Amino acid sequence: PPGAAAPLPCEAGTYSERTDLDAASSCTAAEPGYFATTGSTEQTRCAPGSIAPLTNMSACDLCSTGRYSDSTTNIFACEKCKPGTYAKSEGLSQCIPCAHPLGTPSDGSITCSVCKAGYYLKDSSATPTDLEEAPSEYCDNCPDGTNCSDGARLETLPILPGYWRASPNSTRLTECRNFDGSGTAGATRCVGGTDAGVNGDGYCGSDFTGPECQLCDASDHHLVEGDECEKCLSSSVAGGRLVGLALGLCVACGFLAWAYSMQNWRQRRYTGAPLRLADRFIPWCVAIGLQAKLKIAFGFYQVVSVLSTTYSARLPDKFTSWTDRLSSVISIDWSSFFLPVGCVPFFYRLLAVALSPVGIIALLLLVGVVLRVKRWHASTERPLLGDAVRRGMLDLTPPGLILIFCFVPSVSAFIFRSWSCEAYVISHPDASLDYIQYMRQDASVECNYNDSDYNSIIELAIFLIVLWPIGSIILFTSLLTLCYKALHTNTPTDLSQATAFLHKEYEPRWYWWEALELLRKVVLTGVVVLIPEERYFVRLVVATLVCSCYTVGLAVATPFKRIEDDILAVATNLVLLLVFLGASWTTIFEAIEDQKEGWAEDVLGWPNPDAIVYPMLVLIGVALALFLVGAAAAARRVAKVPTIRIAASKQAPELTLAKGMTWHLFNSHIWSTGQDAVAVIKNELQQLLPGIKVFLDVDDLKDIGALESYIDCSQVILFFLSKGYFRSKNCLREIRSSLEKGKPIILVQEADPAKGGGSLAELRAECLEELQPAVFDMAFPLVVWMRIEEFQLVSLKMISEALLLQTPTYAGLRRLPLTIPGEVQGLNLGFANRVVLWASPANRGARRMANEIAASFPGVVVDAAAERPERATHMLLYLCEESWSEDRLAEQVKEVRESRLPIVMAHENDAERGGCPFSRFFETTPQELIAAGLYRDLAIACFPGLHREARPLHSTPFHSHVSFKATTTGPFERQVSLSLLAKAIGAVQWTQGTVSIRRTLCSKLLRKNLKWVEAESSLTEASASTVTASSV
């Protein structure tokens, strides 16, 4: 400046490069973002981490903590550190990122004091220094069901709607169940939030409380449809409805039973159809053994339906939802409908569930007693009142046992669920596991033995266990033990008949199997609950072991009478075993996934539970298919065993003995003419009726003086009528004793004179006159004894039917049709080729016999032309008393033999039709025919009665428009004589499903033979009989 001794520098905050300045104001002011020191010739840019927000600044200001400046983007002001970064000191050019998984509560932070989004702070007392030193120890991943932002803490985890936790210290969240409501019911109750409240109530909507918010906040309300609270009914109204339902069921069952007993109702307009349908349905159920199959299937369901509740099995919902729905439909817990959870304490619900079936059963027995006592009071001859009471209880014991069978597993499971508790974790994630547990059946009750309510429930449950599972097993075992002698000696008693539901389908030596089956179900549905909830996997292991042992036991013992029931039982238990194995694997998978996502696939190799379940379902399907094929093959093999079966059910009849009886049949005979025959009868009956006890003197007689006592111990007496029988002293003793004791009698006639037989008139003539009416006029079953195998089977069936109708099992029946697999009259016979049967008018009776054949078998045409027709395929030679009375017959037979036309001979044995002994034909037949070998081929014997009669086939004529498929149904039953004649003509057995036979019949009978069928229909009555063509 002027007057200065020396040049002066520009002041701080200004600068200049010039040397001719005359004043300080001539210096240039430093711009914002720059500074200038005293005497600066230029302004200097602020260093990173500092700023110059004003002009004329002699120095830059350092950025404060929490801020930064990088001198490139903003040189005029320091910016706040962005979230997730911090500036702990001044003058930083950039903020420091937080260490993983830390974060900052806001921008401009000077330290990382919180956990970042997706993580939560375990310990709220931790300092920022603690977090910096060990961030992974204090911050952890937020669990599923939360929405964690920066700064989330364990105590205030933001819970999403639809989730719930029991404690603010726990990270184990529970997805709220829908409880039979819609898919959003859980989210409606559990609204989530950050405030846990008391025991998790803070996460519940305004009207809900309790674990998973499943209880209504109001004391007199209960949960409906999973997300609504409804006011409870009063206890008196609900109890009255429950009692009314029980009484209504009893009345309905009684009315149905009474209606079924009304025979005249079957003809009425509205009741007739269902009653007639029931008449057909019940025998069908008995025929296929439906009771055993239903018991097996129901037992399977009773176990598999508790997988989720008893075993906590973690199966995908799509595989278990149907069982849960079905279980809820047929659940035995009536009180949950009338007295829902929240309306009445579980203590009283438990009482209602356990005692209501007892009341129903007691009511049934009381009804039976009342009805019996009423009959006793109306009777003129009154037995002891105690006997009437006993019989009344036995009358309704069968439905009582059925109810026990249905109720025991369900009621036992409900009782044992008193120990079944839902556990919720309340412990800190770094502390040892601690739970709070609530009863599954009533979430308002905490499973804590210090709780008086829970203690009362447990004490009641212990008493009910003695009453139901233990008591039922003891009851079944006791009843079966009392029936031991009756079952093993085949002597039914009132008790064994009343308890048939327990043992009827089992072999006598396995009569106790139902008690074992009950024990298995009780263990699998209830006892395993005693294993603590936290060891639920041990329950699955125990169930798997029980199923394995039981399945092996079934396969080895085969306790059922019907082989298909054995196979079905093994199959269902094998499926149950596979179900438990699959549930075990999916539970392991889910447990590993709970520890760390992705571990399960690394350990087990399965990406998800579906990869376990689907192969298991395929394995179950394959196993069932194999068992089904095996059952069909086994049933078919058993069906071919030549033993006597009941025609309706194709099952072996039950051979029972009345009380005090030792033998089913007593053979009364004379040694000289009947010993061989009765020995055959005994041996054959023992093969045809396994287990039958037949008295035969050579085998069983110990004391000839005790004949009367043997008669007394025999259920049915067989009189074998042969020459000399009525002249035997001992035989007369047996006859008189049988008549005096009123024994059921079967008359078996030896008809072959060569074997000591005779006509019924001849045998009657031998009988003492005073005994003749008692023996021959009392309509006792009369059987003609045959020695030809096919006819002998008929005789044995007739004896067996008469015998069985006198056993306690079938005593109320008038007829009991029997069948033997493979018997000739049971074969489905028909002709694959055209058959024209010539019945010569010269052969008296031949046309009538030919018509019988044609009326009974498909594909036969009878030609009664006077001379042999060209189209004839066979000639029928009917042998009777008058067969050779016309010489023309001999000429025709000679002509037929020369032309090699097959001759089928029928030997008539019915005296009313001109039957005679075969030896007669050697006298009447032209000797040249005998010499030529006419009788080298056997003649088919034609006997009267069941040995001959055929059931006419409901046939339809062959027409071109008749569908082959429509005429291929219906069983064919033939009696022996006609069946043997048909086979001699060339009939073949038709097996349902045999494609080759069907094709042959279809092509030959419906195409080639159509012309001769039409031509036959135009023949006159004099030349031909009716064309018979039946359904194939």
Side-chain angles (χ1 to χ4, degrees):
L8 296 175
C10 286
E11 295 177 354
T14 62
Y15 70 92
S16 178
E17 296 179 348
R18 296 172 60 183
T19 58
D20 59 347
L21 300 178
D22 58 359
S25 59
S26 299
C27 294
T28 303
E31 298 174 357
Y34 293 85
F35 72 94
T37 58
T38 302
S40 297
T41 59
E42 60 182 8
Q43 62 181 355
T44 303
R45 190 180 183 88
C46 290
S50 61
I51 59 170
L54 306 174
T55 60
N56 295 97
M57 293 196 69
S58 61
C60 293
D61 296 333
L62 294 177
C63 290
S64 62
T65 56
R67 294 176 178 268
Y68 77 99
S69 174
D70 59 4
S71 74
T72 58
T73 58
N74 190 351
I75 60 176
F76 306 108
C78 292
E79 296 183 2
K80 290 183 179 181
C81 291
K82 296 178 180 179
T85 62
Y86 71 99
K88 191 174 184 180
S89 58
E90 297 178 339
L92 295 183
S93 61
Q94 63 181 14
C95 295
I96 303 171
C98 294
H100 179 75
L102 299 179
T104 57
S106 62
D107 54 357
S109 296
I110 62 175
T111 183
C112 296
S113 60
V114 298
C115 299
K116 70 177 183 179
Y119 291 81
Y120 71 94
L121 180 63
K122 295 181 182 179
D123 187 356
S124 298
S125 64
T127 64
T129 303
D130 295 331
L131 293 178
E132 289 180 1
E133 292 177 352
S136 298
E137 290 185 11
Y138 289 95
C139 294
D140 202 352
N141 289 305
C142 287
D144 292 337
T146 59
N147 184 21
C148 296
S149 58
D150 291 332
R153 294 182 300 155
L154 175 62
E155 295 81 1
T156 57
L157 277 176
I159 308 298
L160 293 174
Y163 289 85
W164 180 88
R165 62 174 176 167
S167 167
N169 295 322
S170 172
T171 58
R172 297 288 184 91
L173 271 64
T174 301
E175 185 175 3
C176 295
R177 290 168 286 178
N178 294 323
F179 295 111
D180 299 327
S182 64
T184 61
T188 302
R189 298 192 322 274
C190 303
V191 296
T194 57
D195 183 12
V198 179
N199 294 331
D201 288 346
Y203 305 122
C204 298
S206 59
D207 295 331
F208 304 97
T209 186
E212 300 183 47
C213 308
Q214 61 183 286
L215 301 175
C216 292
D217 196 34
S219 59
D220 59 344
H221 287 68
H222 67 97
L223 190 66
V224 178
E225 299 296 334
D227 57 1
E228 296 180 8
C229 286
E230 185 176 281
K231 188 174 179 62
C232 299
L233 295 172
S234 65
S235 299
S236 58
V237 173
R241 289 184 178 182
L242 183 62
V243 173
L245 175 63
L247 291 175
L249 287 174
C250 292
V251 171
C253 292
F255 174 77
L256 290 175
W258 174 74
Y260 184 74
S261 66
M262 302 297 290
Q263 295 297 326
N264 58 335
W265 281 24
R266 283 159 174 76
Q267 308 304 323
R268 295 186 179 181
R269 180 176 181 182
Y270 297 106
T271 60
L275 288 176
R276 290 192 298 270
L277 180 61
D279 289 338
R280 297 190 196 94
F281 179 71
I282 292 174
W284 177 82
C285 293
V286 174
I288 67 170
L290 187 62
Q291 175 178 295
K293 295 169 180 60
L294 287 178
K295 288 171 69 175
I296 293 170
F298 190 63
F300 171 79
Y301 164 76
Q302 286 174 320
V303 176
V304 79
S305 62
V306 300
L307 270 175
S308 57
T309 55
T310 299
Y311 293 92
S312 302
R314 302 174 68 175
L315 290 166
D317 289 340
K318 57 186 174 184
F319 299 111
T320 59
S321 57
W322 68 273
T323 58
D324 294 339
R325 288 194 298 268
L326 184 60
S327 178
S328 64
V329 169
I330 62 175
S331 173
I332 190 60
D333 184 11
W334 296 347
S335 66
S336 64
F337 178 75
F338 293 98
L339 304 173
V341 177
C343 294
V344 66
F346 180 76
F347 182 92
Y348 296 105
R349 289 182 59 219
L350 182 59
L351 273 177
V353 170
L355 298 184
S356 56
V358 175
I360 294 174
I361 295 170
L363 183 61
L364 277 175
L365 297 179
L366 180 61
V367 169
V369 171
V370 169
L371 292 176
R372 277 288 180 175
V373 171
K374 184 178 179 180
R375 294 179 194 171
W376 173 84
H377 185 74
S379 175
T380 54
E381 297 181 2
R382 296 182 180 178
L384 294 176
L385 179 60
D387 185 62
V389 172
R390 181 183 65 84
R391 288 184 176 275
M393 295 180 66
L394 290 177
D395 286 343
L396 291 181
T397 293
L401 291 175
I402 293 174
L403 290 177
I404 293 175
F405 169 83
C406 296
F407 286 151
V408 168
S410 300
V411 173
S412 299
F414 192 87
I415 296 170
F416 279 109
R417 284 180 198 147
S418 300
W419 286 270
S420 180
C421 301
E422 190 77 40
Y424 301 96
V425 177
I426 59 174
S427 57
H428 191 276
D430 291 336
S432 58
L433 280 177
D434 189 17
Y435 300 89
I436 184 171
Q437 300 186 67
Y438 297 93
M439 290 187 65
R440 293 182 187 271
Q441 304 300 310
D442 189 347
S444 65
V445 179
E446 182 181 349
C447 297
N448 188 337
Y449 287 98
N450 294 323
D451 187 308
S452 59
D453 290 340
Y454 185 66
N455 273 330
S456 300
I457 292 171
I458 295 301
E459 291 172 359
L460 175 62
I462 293 173
F463 165 74
L464 295 177
I465 286 174
V466 175
L467 175 67
W468 267 105
I470 296 178
S472 299
I473 293 172
I474 293 175
L475 174 65
F476 278 24
T477 304
S478 301
L479 290 175
L480 291 170
T481 301
L482 292 173
C483 296
Y484 169 80
K485 184 177 180 180
L487 295 175
H488 280 74
T489 58
N490 286 328
T491 54
T493 61
D494 292 340
L495 181 61
S496 68
Q497 292 176 331
T499 58
F501 179 79
L502 300 180
H503 54 73
K504 185 176 182 179
E505 60 266 24
Y506 298 108
E507 295 284 357
R509 60 175 176 163
W510 301 110
Y511 72 101
W512 46 267
W513 197 271
E514 189 64 37
L516 179 64
E517 166 68 6
L518 179 63
L519 176 61
R520 177 190 71 94
K521 291 190 291 187
V522 168
V523 170
L524 292 179
T525 58
V527 175
V528 292
V529 178
L530 298 179
I531 300 173
E533 182 70 24
E534 57 269 20
R535 298 180 180 273
Y536 60 87
F537 186 72
V538 179
R539 297 178 182 176
L540 289 169
V541 173
V542 171
T544 302
L545 293 175
V546 170
C547 286
S548 301
C549 296
Y550 190 75
T551 303
V552 172
L554 276 171
V556 173
T558 58
F560 291 92
K561 291 179 179 178
R562 302 173 72 126
I563 189 169
E564 65 268 26
D565 293 338
D566 285 318
I567 294 176
L568 178 62
V570 173
T572 53
N573 280 276
L574 179 60
V575 170
L576 190 60
L577 174 60
L578 294 175
V579 168
F580 277 119
L581 287 174
S584 300
W585 294 337
T586 56
T587 302
I588 293 173
F589 184 95
E590 295 289 356
I592 296 175
E593 282 291 288
D594 287 345
Q595 299 300 317
K596 186 173 183 180
E597 187 175 355
W599 275 19
E601 184 175 1
D602 296 337
V603 174
L604 300 177
W606 293 307
N608 51 59
D610 288 357
I612 304 172
V613 177
Y614 280 119
M616 188 62 64
L617 291 177
V618 172
L619 183 59
I620 289 173
V622 171
L624 287 176
L626 291 176
F627 273 98
L628 182 63
V629 172
R636 180 166 182 160
R637 184 172 62 253
V638 170
K640 292 182 178 180
V641 177
T643 56
I644 285 179
R645 318 289 178 87
I646 297 175
S649 64
K650 299 299 186 290
Q651 296 298 311
E654 291 187 31
L655 280 167
T656 54
L657 285 168
K659 187 176 181 180
M661 298 295 105
T662 305
W663 292 281
H664 296 96
L665 185 66
F666 181 99
N667 277 329
S668 175
H669 66 286
I670 185 170
W671 275 52
S672 58
T673 56
Q675 182 64 35
D676 293 342
V678 293
V680 171
I681 290 175
K682 177 176 179 177
N683 292 333
E684 292 296 325
L685 286 178
Q686 287 176 334
Q687 294 181 36
L688 295 173
L689 289 172
I692 190 172
K693 298 178 181 179
V694 180
F695 179 92
L696 185 61
D697 50 8
V698 294
D699 299 327
D700 306 295
L701 184 62
K702 301 296 187 294
D703 182 6
I704 190 64
L707 276 177
E708 287 76 7
S709 63
Y710 291 121
I711 294 287
D712 196 41
C713 295
S714 299
Q715 195 156 258
V716 178
I717 312 300
L718 184 149
F719 292 171
F720 190 80
L721 308 181
S722 60
K723 292 292 182 65
Y725 175 73
F726 292 105
R727 292 194 294 268
S728 169
K729 179 181 177 181
N730 290 328
C731 291
L732 289 174
R733 287 174 59 192
E734 294 165 354
I735 293 170
R736 287 192 172 97
S737 178
S738 302
L739 295 175
E740 290 171 0
K741 299 177 186 299
K743 291 288 184 179
I745 294 171
I746 302 174
L747 304 178
V748 179
Q749 175 193 356
E750 174 62 82
D752 188 352
K755 303 294 184 180
S759 66
L760 197 61
E762 293 172 340
L763 296 172
R764 180 181 181 122
E766 288 190 0
C767 181
L768 296 177
E769 188 173 347
E770 66 268 19
L771 294 178
Q772 287 182 9
V775 174
F776 292 97
D777 298 338
M778 297 302 294
F780 293 134
L782 175 62
V783 180
V784 178
W785 179 245
M786 300 292 180
R787 285 179 169 76
I788 301 174
E789 181 181 1
E790 292 84 0
F791 299 100
Q792 189 177 91
L793 286 178
V794 175
S795 299
L796 290 168
K797 281 171 52 180
M798 296 169 69
I799 294 172
S800 300
E801 180 180 0
L803 183 151
L804 290 169
L805 289 174
Q806 300 302 325
T807 62
T809 305
Y810 308 106
L813 303 178
R814 295 198 304 174
R815 292 187 67 250
L816 186 65
L818 303 175
T819 184
I820 300 175
E823 60 183 348
V824 66
Q825 65 269 38
L827 300 179
N828 298 336
L829 297 178
F831 296 90
N833 297 304
R834 183 182 65 177
V835 174
V836 179
L837 189 60
W838 179 38
S840 172
N843 187 5
R844 296 183 183 180
R847 180 177 171 182
R848 181 176 58 185
M849 176 60 72
N851 286 342
E852 289 187 46
I853 299 172
S856 302
F857 299 95
V860 177
V861 172
V862 178
D863 194 328
E867 300 297 332
R868 181 177 73 88
E870 292 297 327
R871 63 193 185 119
T873 59
H874 297 77
M875 177 183 181
L876 177 64
L877 179 57
Y878 182 68
L879 301 175
C880 65
E881 182 71 31
E882 300 178 354
S883 291
W884 301 103
S885 59
E886 293 190 29
D887 296 336
R888 189 169 50 144
L889 178 60
E891 293 300 326
Q892 291 175 341
V893 171
K894 184 188 299 185
E895 179 186 350
V896 167
R897 286 176 58 82
E898 290 175 355
S899 64
R900 299 187 179 278
L901 184 70
I903 298 177
V904 178
M905 294 183 290
H907 172 212
E908 183 60 73
N909 284 263
D910 187 354
E912 294 182 1
R913 297 192 180 193
C916 62
F918 196 82
S919 58
R920 167 71 174 165
F921 303 128
F922 288 97
E923 301 174 2
T924 60
T925 306
Q927 291 301 310
E928 58 179 326
L929 291 178
I930 297 176
L934 175 63
Y935 295 134
R936 287 177 186 171
D937 296 328
L938 293 177
I940 306 301
C942 297
F943 291 100
L946 291 178
H947 297 89
R948 174 193 187 124
E949 295 172 0
R951 180 176 301 173
L953 191 67
H954 297 289
S955 58
T956 57
F958 285 108
H959 293 291
S960 58
H961 65 274
V962 176
S963 168
F964 180 81
K965 182 177 181 180
T967 59
T968 57
T969 59
F972 304 146
E973 294 185 3
R974 304 292 179 265
Q975 298 302 325
V976 179
S977 297
L978 295 177
S979 299
L980 291 176
L981 284 169
K983 290 185 69 176
I985 296 171
V988 294
Q989 182 177 1
W990 293 352
T991 304
Q992 190 173 2
T994 304
V995 178
S996 61
I997 293 295
R998 285 182 173 179
R999 288 177 177 172
T1000 301
L1001 291 169
C1002 184
S1003 62
K1004 293 186 176 182
L1005 294 180
L1006 296 183
R1007 296 175 189 166
K1008 291 183 180 181
N1009 298 339
L1010 186 59
K1011 294 181 179 179
W1012 67 263
V1013 171
E1014 293 174 348
E1016 185 65 32
S1017 62
S1018 65
L1019 295 178
T1020 61
E1021 178 67 16
S1023 61
S1025 66
T1026 305
V1027 177
T1028 302
S1030 301
S1031 305
V1032 178

